[in-house]
Amino acid sequence: MNKLNNYKKLGKSEIEVSPVSFGCMSLGADQAQNEYLLRQAFEQGINFFDTADLYQKGENEKSVGKALKNIRKQVIIASKVGNQWRPDGSGWDWNPTKAYILQAVEKSLQRLQTDYLDLYLLHGGTLNDPIDETIEAFELLKEQGKIREYGISSIRPNVIREYVKRSHIASVMMQYSLLDRRPEETCLDLLQENQISVLARGSLAQGLLAGKTPKEYLSYSSLEVEKMAKAVAQSTNQNINAAAVAVKYVLGNAAVTTAVLGIRTEAQLKDALQVLHTSPLPTETRQDLARVLPPNIYDQHR
């Protein structure tokens, strides 16, 4: 692997991750294609791969495990827990209990063909959860060596604050983009102060910042979305396209350790690698982009 010098530590841990990580959720059913993309990403500097037991009912973990088995010690694998499939497969229910987490991790390890996870994330979370019990489960798994670090995937400031207060989370995965700047209000500063890594997802806002037809997004009208997409397009140059500009904006926030990009095609991998191998956005460009629209804020779960 072409290891770059801009890898960052995950929280206070010794784990180092690439500034762009491979979101495996988008992978299809073609194992040969999946292996090609995952190995190409690894060869060119991406060392962090994110999956979940929920994706394709566990088939995603199986595909990733098979592809990365021979280089397991050289990669960082994250998976997620908390969504329990119903026996009839009709959907899933939220289950953040200790008993379920301890049972689910065994199945994830089996599917990923590994005896440990580098990072295990709670795949959601509410204030009604048995939070202390959930934390106990993750701490026990750390003691047992089944996981190296744990965190949560959440966009809820009130839930994030509880985990910051009560646990030793290494990271929080959250949606963050030029069209979703809600984390800038309080979450990013709080996490940075506590040396907890932000794993940013949704940096392209469903592709709206990378050329998709404008439509309403969160509190923004389609006209506002179009205005932001144009500003992003105008910030490109011969080295960096619109997708890379949008992701670079997110990575320009000091709280963000890595941008998790969903990859299922060679074109998407190429975009991800462009982000990885080009310079940060100039501060002035970031400031200009931030001024295009008034930032949105959380109206729930504050």
Side-chain angles (χ1 to χ4, degrees):
M1 180 180 66
N2 171 16
K3 183 170 190 251
L4 310 168
N5 59 9
N6 56 353
Y7 281 30
K8 285 188 182 175
K9 286 227 161 92
L10 188 73
K12 297 174 190 152
S13 76
E14 291 307 304
I15 298 172
E16 289 195 337
V17 298
S18 47
V20 171
S21 34
F22 195 124
C24 301
M25 181 174 80
S26 311
L27 290 173
D30 183 338
Q31 182 62 23
Q33 171 73 350
N34 293 352
E35 290 195 21
Y36 172 77
L37 292 170
L38 290 160
R39 293 302 287 258
Q40 278 296 307
F42 169 73
E43 295 298 340
Q44 295 185 64
I46 293 176
N47 78 332
F48 185 27
F49 299 85
D50 170 72
T51 180
D53 59 3
L54 182 68
Y55 304 155
Q56 292 106 44
K57 299 184 177 174
E59 290 303 313
N60 195 275
E61 285 181 324
K62 282 185 191 171
S63 180
V64 172
K66 198 171 172 187
L68 300 179
K69 188 181 179 185
N70 294 338
I71 48 170
R72 175 65 188 98
K73 294 281 186 247
Q74 296 162 266
V75 294
I76 306 301
I77 297 178
S79 194
K80 308 185 199 74
V81 65
N83 295 297
Q84 183 175 19
W85 280 102
R86 294 181 199 129
D88 65 0
S90 63
W92 61 84
D93 299 302
W94 180 237
N95 189 350
T97 61
K98 182 176 179 180
Y100 177 66
I101 292 168
L102 297 181
Q103 168 201 326
V105 74
E106 299 299 338
K107 292 176 181 170
S108 283
L109 292 173
Q110 202 175 4
R111 287 189 290 260
L112 283 159
Q113 298 187 53
T114 182
D115 51 9
Y116 70 96
L117 287 171
D118 297 283
L119 179 65
Y120 204 25
L121 296 166
L122 184 68
H123 205 172
T126 75
L127 286 184
N128 299 322
D129 294 346
I131 293 175
D132 290 327
E133 184 186 318
T134 302
I135 293 165
E136 262 176 46
F138 285 121
E139 289 289 350
L140 178 60
L141 291 175
K142 261 186 94 166
E143 276 171 42
Q144 294 172 341
K146 288 176 183 172
I147 65 172
R148 293 172 71 190
E149 297 294 337
Y150 66 96
I152 60 170
S153 176
S154 177
I155 58 168
R156 300 180 174 204
N158 56 7
V159 172
I160 290 167
R161 277 195 298 273
E162 288 306 310
Y163 276 89
V164 170
K165 251 190 292 191
R166 301 196 214 178
S167 76
H168 299 106
I169 53 170
S171 63
V172 175
M173 182 179 284
M174 61 171 68
Q175 184 168 294
Y176 177 38
S177 74
L178 276 161
L179 289 173
D180 186 358
R181 291 174 55 204
R182 295 174 298 176
E184 291 179 357
E185 190 188 359
T186 59
C187 290
L188 296 180
D189 288 346
L190 172 71
L191 294 170
Q192 197 187 358
E193 281 161 26
N194 287 276
Q195 291 176 268
I196 295 166
S197 283
V198 173
L199 317 177
R201 62 175 179 80
S203 312
L204 299 178
Q206 297 172 358
L208 294 171
L209 295 170
K212 276 206 176 162
T213 307
K215 61 172 187 175
E216 284 182 20
Y217 188 79
L218 297 176
S219 58
Y220 296 122
S221 68
S222 56
L223 280 175
E224 288 173 312
V225 168
E226 186 176 13
K227 188 179 177 186
M228 181 59 84
K230 276 183 180 165
V232 168
Q234 283 160 4
S235 304
T236 59
N237 58 44
Q238 67 274 24
N239 298 317
I240 184 167
N241 65 15
V245 169
V247 179
K248 288 284 187 185
Y249 173 83
V250 165
L251 287 172
N253 189 297
V256 176
T257 298
T258 187
V260 184
L261 303 181
I263 298 170
R264 82 176 286 156
T265 65
E266 281 193 68
Q268 289 167 339
L269 177 59
K270 196 176 166 191
D271 282 347
L273 292 170
Q274 187 179 91
V275 176
L276 194 65
H277 295 290
T278 49
S279 308
L281 276 189
T283 305
E284 196 181 328
T285 307
R286 281 193 88 249
Q287 289 169 344
D288 288 346
L289 288 168
R291 281 193 287 263
V292 173
L293 296 175
N296 35 19
I297 58 172
Y298 288 109
D299 56 358
Q300 296 177 55
H301 313 297
R302 295 178 64 84

